[in-house]
Amino acid sequence: MSTTTALAAAPQVATRQRWHFIDSLRGFAVLGILLVNAIDIISPGMDRILAGGAIVPDPVKDALYLTVQTRFVPIFVFLFGMSLWIVLDGARARSPRPGLVLVRRLLGLAAIGGLLMLVYPGNVLLEYAVVGLLMLPVVYLAPRWVTLGAGVALTGVAYAMFGGGLVATPGLVLLGAGAAAFGLPRVLETSRKTVAIAFAVAAVLTVPALVWQVTAAPGDPRFTNPGGIAGLVMAVLYVTGLALLWHTPARRVVAAVFEPLGRMALTNYVGAAVVMALVAQLWDFGQLTSVAPVVVLSLVVIAVQSVLSRLWLEHFVYGPVEWLWRSVTWLRPAAFRSSGMVHS
């Protein structure tokens, strides 16, 4: 979606600058979220466990606990908050009622999330829409330093007391919105030194965070404070690490793989959930002793989506779900066919 895409300009208005790294970061987050969601949707090995089968050690699942679970959700929520401010900032210049534009946008997201629940009840779109509506008065009315400060405070409390999770969503949304208001997209895309410092700090903190997670609360980190906090630290590590790659020749690879995914993040999020739900109906994963086949399937789906997204965007301005979402936001059909311009 993107749930976090910043596409809110009216068709007749000049396009705004697009931050290509943010699109790539969003695509990277789509990959991580799919690795989390696919296992929840398919539930590999569940039939065997419910039948009384022994729990078999799974190194692949253990690796996901250390590298994926709780790591990508904070990135996704943060990007959603960032796009909330970017879209609102654009709506202020294009509409006499920018708040109403955002309300329609969030209600549209809620509708998409509600429909997706028919296939994937655990999807986060409805949750993001509700939290976005609740946080919108702060983002809309409060000074940017208040938004950022409230985001830092709420996020800190949520992770210190609960290890993140659903309770951290409001804080991360405000944190993303406040960071965008202070120009974080530009910093990530252009400031190598600042990003390198943040990466170094996160890298140092990652070691004790992982040790704490493994020793104090092994297993699924989504349900423990150490696992949630380690996830937040590594989320910063991933974001800044990818931003550092953006300043190297590897940028071409990063952009080629992840930017199309990010520009069509909402379509790809919805599409991947539907594909995984269909696969779960067609094949029996209930007797598996490892999540490895699901991981491989997820990587294949992401690779196909990356290629299809690039091909789609060569001819169309937005992904199909993004186009629908944007049309609802502005109460008019959005541009569809691409004219060769990069839209923001």
Side-chain angles (χ1 to χ4, degrees):
M1 22 171 215
S2 158
T3 59
T4 56
T5 185
L7 304 175
Q12 73 274 17
V13 180
T15 57
R16 297 168 61 82
Q17 179 172 4
R18 185 173 200 108
W19 299 109
H20 297 280
F21 173 74
I22 297 301
D23 283 329
S24 295
L25 177 60
R26 190 178 293 113
F28 179 63
V30 167
L31 165 61
I33 291 294
L34 177 57
L35 290 172
V36 175
N37 291 350
I39 295 174
D40 288 342
I41 295 171
I42 293 177
S43 299
M46 186 57 65
D47 292 346
R48 183 180 53 80
I49 294 173
L50 292 177
I55 297 178
V56 180
D58 184 359
V60 177
K61 181 180 285 188
D62 292 339
L64 293 178
Y65 286 162
L66 296 176
T67 59
V68 175
Q69 296 282 19
T70 72
R71 275 66 174 166
F72 284 91
V73 170
I75 300 174
F76 218 55
V77 182
F78 183 83
L79 287 171
F80 174 68
M82 186 177 286
S83 74
L84 191 67
W85 184 87
I86 293 172
V87 173
L88 179 60
D89 184 54
R92 283 183 169 130
R94 301 174 173 95
S95 172
R97 296 180 178 179
L100 186 58
V101 172
L102 266 293
V103 168
R104 290 197 299 265
R105 181 177 177 83
L106 292 168
L107 290 176
L109 182 63
I112 295 170
L115 289 173
L116 186 59
M117 280 193 170
L118 298 174
V119 174
Y120 177 31
N123 85 83
V124 297
L125 301 185
L126 181 57
E127 171 192 317
Y128 286 7
V130 171
V131 173
L133 286 168
L134 293 174
M135 296 300 104
L136 182 57
V138 179
V139 179
Y140 184 36
L141 299 173
R144 60 180 184 172
W145 64 268
V146 171
T147 301
L148 182 61
V152 170
L154 290 175
T155 301
V157 170
Y159 275 91
M161 297 184 64
F162 307 103
L166 176 61
V167 71
T169 304
L172 286 168
V173 168
L174 292 180
L175 191 62
F182 277 95
L184 183 62
R186 181 181 297 276
V187 171
L188 290 172
E189 187 137 346
T190 64
S191 181
R192 182 183 302 183
K193 181 178 179 180
T194 302
V195 171
I197 293 172
F199 175 81
V201 172
V204 170
L205 293 177
T206 291
V207 176
L210 283 176
V211 171
W212 187 31
Q213 175 184 330
V214 171
T215 57
D220 194 331
R222 290 178 291 182
F223 308 108
T224 68
N225 280 31
I229 292 172
L232 182 63
V233 172
M234 290 187 68
V236 176
L237 183 74
Y238 288 169
V239 171
T240 53
L242 195 69
L244 285 180
L245 286 178
W246 194 255
H247 297 287
T248 71
R251 171 176 180 165
R252 289 188 175 184
V253 176
V254 171
V257 174
F258 293 118
E259 189 173 351
L261 284 170
R263 288 183 59 189
M264 291 177 51
L266 182 53
T267 294
N268 289 322
Y269 179 92
V270 172
V274 172
V275 168
M276 290 300 174
L278 288 175
V279 169
Q281 295 298 315
L282 295 173
W283 282 276
D284 181 15
F285 292 86
Q287 300 300 322
L288 291 179
T289 58
S290 173
V291 301
V294 180
V295 171
V296 172
L297 175 62
S298 300
L299 295 176
V300 170
V301 169
I302 281 292
V304 171
Q305 285 187 322
S306 178
V307 173
L308 292 180
S309 295
R310 176 167 293 278
L311 293 174
W312 179 276
L313 291 170
E314 288 179 359
H315 303 284
F316 303 101
V317 183
Y318 311 112
V321 183
E322 283 80 8
W323 178 86
L324 177 63
W325 191 22
R326 182 183 178 88
S327 298
V328 169
T329 297
W330 289 97
L331 293 181
R332 64 171 68 92
F336 196 55
R337 280 283 183 179
S338 175
S339 60
M341 297 184 299
V342 176
H343 291 70
S344 63

